[in-house]
Amino acid sequence: MARKLLIEHADVQGIASYDVYRKHGGYASVEKALKTMSPDEVVEEVKKSGLRGRGGAGFPTGMKWSFLAKPEGVERHLVCNADESEPGTFKDRYLMEKLPHLLIEGMITSSYALGARRSYIYIRGEFMYVLRILEKAIAEAYANGMLGKNILGSGYDLDLVVTPGGGAYICGEETALLESLEGKRGNPRMKPPFPAVKGLWGNPTVVNNVESIAAVVPIVNEGGEAYAKIGIERSTGTKLISASGNLVRPGVYEIELGLSVEE
């Protein structure tokens, strides 16, 4: 059986609440990162893991993070692309619905690594019921000191905002998403400049997929080298797949990369 790094606790009663999520090891990566690691050390673990973007492009996540410009006195942002709109794809929606605190934990740890103090989740407009689940979970995280000022006494501050999109397919493209997030029509931007240099509000920005950000949690908890041992060759770790159509058991499954389609 494949190891479940992301959805192991998805069927636990009440796992969408802060208290139950915490009892099952939730927010351990935030504690580890903020109390024992520097931001650069978190980035290094993600590089070691070999994690590749789970939104489709497969670009190495740690490398993408290392491109982020860090001009003095300029704000940086992390934006989660939750505008899942490919036909037959629903693994990000499932993760947010079942395990909202996993995404929030990943956002905190990743934002800390990037030096972002205001981050965003841009969610597809048709997912309003999921947005309400995320808003409730974010409120719980604030109430328990995981968001806001001086998280866990570390001196690190982070505000997290969830924003619905307008349901336009093109807003799944990262620069069109940023335009929409700024309140404009969701048209793609010319590149360069790339978002890592000039992104949201003209500030350096990293845009990552829901699953990519969630995967940072087990990477920090278990270490990048341990994560890299799962999978095959340059495709490391586990992957959520949406299985639909003429199947006996449709749904979301977590597999180790390298599993054959036949199997």
Side-chain angles (χ1 to χ4, degrees):
M1 288 291 292
R3 295 183 60 191
K4 289 186 178 180
L5 301 180
L6 300 181
I7 62 172
E8 179 183 3
H9 302 301
D11 294 326
V12 171
Q13 187 71 30
I15 195 66
S17 71
Y18 176 88
D19 289 340
V20 176
Y21 181 73
R22 197 82 163 100
K23 286 177 183 176
H24 285 80
Y27 290 101
S29 76
V30 175
E31 291 184 307
K32 181 177 180 180
L34 270 59
K35 292 182 177 180
T36 69
M37 302 172 73
S38 69
D40 287 343
E41 286 173 334
V42 178
V43 174
E44 189 59 32
E45 289 303 314
V46 175
K47 284 183 178 179
K48 287 179 186 176
S49 75
L51 176 69
R52 302 173 80 87
R54 301 303 198 225
F59 192 83
T61 303
M63 186 182 298
K64 186 174 186 177
W65 287 10
S66 68
F67 292 156
L68 186 67
K70 299 178 180 178
E72 189 70 31
V74 176
E75 193 173 5
R76 299 168 222 152
H77 304 291
L78 171 63
V79 176
C80 173
N81 184 346
D83 193 66
E84 186 175 47
S85 54
E86 292 291 347
T89 304
F90 48 91
K91 48 97 176 176
D92 288 343
R93 180 183 63 183
Y94 176 90
L95 194 150
M96 291 185 289
E97 180 181 349
K98 295 285 189 177
L99 294 158
H101 282 285
L102 176 62
L103 175 58
I104 294 167
E105 179 177 359
M107 288 294 294
I108 299 166
T109 304
S110 301
S111 296
Y112 171 72
L114 296 168
R117 294 180 180 268
R118 186 171 179 85
S119 294
Y120 299 82
I121 299 171
Y122 181 95
I123 188 169
R124 190 162 180 76
E126 289 89 340
F127 294 166
M128 290 305 293
Y129 77 98
V130 182
L131 180 140
R132 288 191 284 270
I133 291 170
L134 284 173
E135 286 182 330
K136 181 180 178 181
I138 288 171
E140 289 180 325
Y142 271 107
N144 286 278
M146 291 295 175
L147 286 170
K149 300 289 186 182
N150 193 26
I151 299 171
L152 298 177
S154 65
Y156 175 64
D157 306 335
L158 177 66
D159 285 313
L160 181 59
V161 179
V162 57
T163 302
Y169 178 81
I170 190 60
C171 288
E173 192 277 328
E174 64 177 10
T175 61
L177 184 156
L178 295 177
E179 287 285 293
S180 178
L181 195 51
E182 291 179 356
K184 306 169 190 171
R185 182 172 177 168
N187 287 335
R189 297 175 179 176
M190 295 292 289
K191 293 186 284 190
F194 292 91
V197 176
K198 188 176 181 181
L200 188 65
W201 318 119
N203 298 327
T205 303
V206 167
V207 182
N208 280 138
N209 166 265
V210 171
E211 186 183 350
S212 306
I213 292 170
V216 172
V217 173
I219 288 169
V220 171
N221 283 336
E222 300 186 23
E225 291 182 359
Y227 187 90
K229 291 177 181 177
I230 304 169
I232 184 171
E233 298 177 357
R234 293 190 301 160
S235 297
T236 62
T238 65
K239 181 77 185 74
L240 299 182
I241 60 169
S242 308
S244 62
N246 187 23
L247 302 174
V248 175
R249 290 186 297 276
V252 173
Y253 295 90
E254 186 169 7
I255 65 167
E256 291 186 13
L257 285 164
L259 187 76
S260 69
V261 172
E262 181 181 34
E263 186 176 349

